[in-house]
């Protein structure tokens, strides 16, 4: 039976990725049913993922939860790196300006889930079903049928956001190649008053954890997150019973009193699904990719999966774009996954070297950094997550060649097609806001002149049935800060996707060029 406009999108998993998917679909007036295998009374124990970067806070803002998260979260402003007992270097980050989001916040995944779940419970278009494990999936040309618990559900599409042991991925027969590391990591959340608030401290080879590393993060409510790399044979119960766990913690707290809030040991994995979709079913978050934890690329990337997929599902569901738009999800997000895997693999080669050559390299770099500050650039303790550059996406209209333009993610972000749009203060309808708060409900056109904005808006209304909003920078950016960040000229026209990525930067307004770029951005016109 064909799916109808009232059929929901089925979402497997009520973790952050599944809930963000459902909330963003609701923003587009698309209903969803969220199927969660755990019972409704499940507890949210421990910090788990803790670092959320500002581009992901924008996604949480569009899901309706960023204000609460930022109010609870903390932002460390200084990062100190030590080798044995000597501080090698410190990096200080500026505080967020008035009205802007911080560069990142530390907040427990438990709190993030709690805020998202409260918002989802209040959203009529999100139907939460706890205690419904997915046991069967059938995808056909018209929709998806899912067996969960003792019930059967029919939807237009299925999003598998059900974690690393994804039932959806297994039922779709999608492989999950990669590797697992033997060394374990021990996490302890402790409540204590330490002497270095708002700092992150990274210890290489301290005498109290020789040959390995320890990471200390400040978290909300007086909690500190401590990560130790430990041996493959580590046993947390034995550590507790013998008093060794207390001795570990005392290396950080000294004589200060502390309380263990949560402790766990785990092995980490590096895996990427062979495909991010099969017909009308898709994978997101840990169901699609697993990375080493340093750099906070796991859940951050999963939230970006959710937003990428949600707007495309909505455009197809609302009849604004052809079904082929959804093909770009695999292209864009599997590309992001491979880039994240490349970055985290390089980090783990330094942190957990697996050969004599890599171990020698790590030792030489750290020892050289004791006397040579320039060697610090070779110390890899994890590069913070950032949005992937969709420069090679079929939805992106290529811009003119730029001399020495760095195509690889990780460099500074030039305002070119495929890269996420810069942010900054502006005004809309007489109210102060940020540019990125204008995204998420339509395609957006940005041009310097009012006359161009009006003409481009009229041309867009005939070019695509999708919603398009056109702004003149002269109206929303009288100070010129956004124009400079966008590298805008008096004649240029920027097209922004609902997820904030630049789909095209046109040198001037031309109705035919605008039509082609808009249609390409929604998958309705093949690349030239």
């Amino acid at each position: 039976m064909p799916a109808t406009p009232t059929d929901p999108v089925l979402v497997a998993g009520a973790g952050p990725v599944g809930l963000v998917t459902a909330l963003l679909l609701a923003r587009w007036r698309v209903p969803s049913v969220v199927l969660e295998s755990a019972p409704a009374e499940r507890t949210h124990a421990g910090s788990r993922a803790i670092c959320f970067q500002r581009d992901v806070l924008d996604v949480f803002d569009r899901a309706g939860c960023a204000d609460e998260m930022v109010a609870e979260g903390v932002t460390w402003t200084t990062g100190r790196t030590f080798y044995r007992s000597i501080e090698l270097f410190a990096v200080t980050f500026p505080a967020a300006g008035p009205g802007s989001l911080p560069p990142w916040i530390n907040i427990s995944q438990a709190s993030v889930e709690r805020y998202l779940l409260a918002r989802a419970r209040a959203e009529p278009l999100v139907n939460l079903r706890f205690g419904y494990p997915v046991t069967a999936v059938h995808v056909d040309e018209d929709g998806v049928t899912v067996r969960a618990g003792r019930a059967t559900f029919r939807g237009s599409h299925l999003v598998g956001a059900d974690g690393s042991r994804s039932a959806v991925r297994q039922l779709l027969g999608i492989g999950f190649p990669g590797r697992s590391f033997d060394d374990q990591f021990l996490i302890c959340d402790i409540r204590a008053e330490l002497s270095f608030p708002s700092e992150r401290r990274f210890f290489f080879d301290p005498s109290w954890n020789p040959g390995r590393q320890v990471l200390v993060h400040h978290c909300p409510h007086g909690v500190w997150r401590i990560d130790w790399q430990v041996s493959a044979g580590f046993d947390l119960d034995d550590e507790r019973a013998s008093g060794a766990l207390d001795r570990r913690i005392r290396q950080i707290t000294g004589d200060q009193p502390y309380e263990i809030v949560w402790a766990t040991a785990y092995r980490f994995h590096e895996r990427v699904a062979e495909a991010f979709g099969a017909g009308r079913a898709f994978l997101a978050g840990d169901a699609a990719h697993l990375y080493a934890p340093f750099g906070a690329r796991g859940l951050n990337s999963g939230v970006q999966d959710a937003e990428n997929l949600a707007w495309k599902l909505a455009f197809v569901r609302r009849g604004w774009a052809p079904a082929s738009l959804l093909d770009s999800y695999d292209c864009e997000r599997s590309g992001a996954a491979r880039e994240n895997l490349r970055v985290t693999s390089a980090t783990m080669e330094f942190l957990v070297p697996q050969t004599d050559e890599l171990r020698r390299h790590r030792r030489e770099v750290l020892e050289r950094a004791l006397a040579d500050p320039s060697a610090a650039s070779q110390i890899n303790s994890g590069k913070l997550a950032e949005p992937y550059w969709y420069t090679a996406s079929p939805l992106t209209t290529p811009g003119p060649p730029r001399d020495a333009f760095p195509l690889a993610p990780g460099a500074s972000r030039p305002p070119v097609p495929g890269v996420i749009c810069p942010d900054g203060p502006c005004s809309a309808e007489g109210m102060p806001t940020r540019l990125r708060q204008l995204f998420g409900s339509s395609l957006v056109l940005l041009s310097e002149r009012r006359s161009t904005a009006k003409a481009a808006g009229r041309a867009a209304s005939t070019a695509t049935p999708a919603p398009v909003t056109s702004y003149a920078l002269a109206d929303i950016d009288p100070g010129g800060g956004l124009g400079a960040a966008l590298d805008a000229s008096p004649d240029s026209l920027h097209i922004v996707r609902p997820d904030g990525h630049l789909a095209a930067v046109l040198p001037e307004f031309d109705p035919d060029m605008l039509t082609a770029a808009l249609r390409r951005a929604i998958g309705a016109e093949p690349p030239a």
Side-chain angles (χ1 to χ4, degrees):
M1 178 184 298
T4 69
T6 58
D7 282 342
V9 171
L10 305 179
V11 179
V17 175
L19 292 172
V20 167
T21 303
L23 289 170
L24 294 179
L25 286 171
R27 182 182 174 117
W28 293 103
R29 310 309 300 163
V30 175
S32 63
V33 175
V34 180
L35 305 169
E36 169 57 49
S37 61
E41 63 271 14
R42 73 175 186 167
T43 58
H44 300 277
S47 54
R48 296 179 285 168
I50 60 166
C51 186
F52 296 88
Q53 48 103 342
R54 64 103 60 225
D55 303 291
V56 168
L57 297 179
D58 280 316
V59 183
F60 289 145
D61 190 37
R62 290 190 273 275
C65 303
D67 289 345
E68 300 97 314
M69 294 179 190
V70 172
E72 180 180 340
V74 299
T75 302
W76 52 271
T77 56
T78 301
R80 301 187 187 277
T81 299
F82 299 80
Y83 178 42
R84 296 174 181 161
S85 60
I86 301 174
E87 181 176 334
L88 296 178
F89 59 89
V91 180
T92 301
F93 299 90
S100 63
L101 289 171
W104 59 78
I105 60 171
N106 279 0
I107 184 174
S108 73
Q109 182 177 333
S111 289
V112 168
E113 288 188 21
R114 186 167 60 251
Y115 290 126
L116 291 169
L117 186 57
R119 181 72 184 85
R121 289 188 188 280
E123 172 53 64
L125 290 174
V126 177
N127 182 354
L128 292 166
R129 298 291 188 98
F130 287 89
Y132 282 81
V134 173
T135 57
V137 172
H138 176 70
V139 182
D140 57 53
E141 293 183 359
D142 299 317
V144 182
T145 302
V146 169
R147 181 73 176 172
R150 297 182 178 180
T152 299
F153 299 86
R154 179 70 174 173
S156 64
H157 301 83
L158 170 64
V159 180
D162 50 342
S164 61
R165 297 181 175 86
S166 170
V168 171
R169 186 186 65 241
Q170 295 173 36
L171 290 165
L172 293 174
I174 295 175
F176 202 36
R179 61 174 177 166
S180 300
F181 285 75
D182 291 333
D183 272 30
Q184 297 188 73
F185 282 81
L186 165 66
I187 299 174
C188 280
D189 293 345
I190 66 167
R191 185 169 284 111
E193 292 186 13
L194 302 187
S195 60
F196 47 94
S198 299
E199 287 190 6
R200 185 215 71 171
R201 294 193 169 186
F202 201 111
F203 298 88
F204 284 99
D205 299 355
S207 60
W208 31 277
N209 200 36
R212 296 184 171 90
Q213 48 269 333
V214 179
L215 176 62
V216 184
H217 267 286
H218 191 192
C219 295
H221 313 302
V223 171
W224 293 81
R225 157 82 168 263
I226 311 175
D227 293 66
W228 292 265
Q229 181 192 355
V230 294
S231 66
F234 177 83
D235 188 298
L236 180 55
D237 291 336
D238 287 349
E239 286 269 313
R240 290 181 186 271
S242 67
L245 183 59
D246 175 70
R247 291 191 293 273
R248 284 182 185 276
I249 295 172
R250 289 291 178 196
Q251 297 292 341
I252 305 296
T253 65
D255 295 331
Q256 291 291 326
Y258 72 86
E259 170 196 358
I260 296 179
V261 179
W262 179 66
T264 189
Y266 71 99
R267 288 182 173 85
F268 64 86
H269 313 273
E270 293 185 334
R271 300 183 182 277
V272 173
E274 291 177 339
F276 278 34
R280 289 172 171 258
F282 304 90
L283 302 176
D286 284 357
H289 46 71
L290 295 173
Y291 315 122
F294 295 94
R297 291 174 179 261
L299 185 48
N300 280 285
S301 183
V303 172
Q304 289 160 347
D305 292 344
E307 182 172 45
N308 186 293
L309 184 55
W311 79 262
K312 294 172 182 177
L313 284 170
F315 271 45
V316 172
R317 282 285 308 258
R318 298 292 298 271
W320 299 331
S324 58
L325 173 63
L326 292 167
D327 295 340
S328 67
Y329 174 71
D330 185 290
C331 168
E332 293 183 344
R333 296 313 300 164
S334 67
R338 288 191 296 272
E339 171 64 15
N340 284 324
L341 188 63
R342 182 191 67 79
V343 172
T344 56
S345 294
T347 297
M348 298 320 296
E349 285 185 353
F350 192 85
L351 296 184
V352 190
Q354 300 294 301
T355 67
D356 289 341
E357 181 180 357
L358 289 172
R359 283 187 284 270
R360 183 171 56 253
H361 171 72
R362 167 188 156 122
R363 183 173 61 252
E364 289 173 352
V365 168
L366 290 169
E367 290 180 351
R368 190 164 66 250
L370 292 171
D372 180 6
S374 67
S377 62
Q378 298 181 51
I379 296 174
N380 191 339
S381 58
K383 296 181 179 179
L384 286 174
E386 66 168 38
Y388 186 64
W389 297 10
Y390 301 138
T391 50
S393 167
L395 307 186
T396 301
T397 299
R402 292 195 171 203
D403 292 339
F405 169 56
L407 289 175
S412 60
R413 302 175 189 169
V416 298
V419 177
I420 197 163
C421 185
D423 196 17
C426 65
S427 62
E429 298 181 357
M431 298 295 293
T433 184
R434 295 182 295 109
L435 179 59
R436 289 189 188 172
Q437 288 187 312
L438 305 181
F439 305 154
S441 299
S442 68
L443 295 159
V444 169
L445 308 181
L446 299 171
S447 52
E448 283 281 5
R449 299 188 181 98
R450 296 184 183 94
S451 57
T452 302
K454 290 180 180 179
R458 287 194 297 269
S461 66
T462 61
T464 173
V468 181
T469 308
S470 185
Y471 294 101
L473 294 176
D475 293 328
I476 67 172
D477 179 38
L482 290 178
L486 288 164
D487 196 17
S489 73
D491 298 316
S492 62
L493 181 64
H494 291 65
I495 303 175
V496 188
R497 299 169 14 159
D499 57 9
H501 284 260
L502 290 164
V505 179
L506 305 181
E508 60 186 2
F509 167 59
D510 175 271
D512 292 337
M513 291 173 60
L514 174 61
T515 295
L518 284 171
R519 289 180 56 78
R520 181 167 179 164
I522 62 172
E525 185 163 303

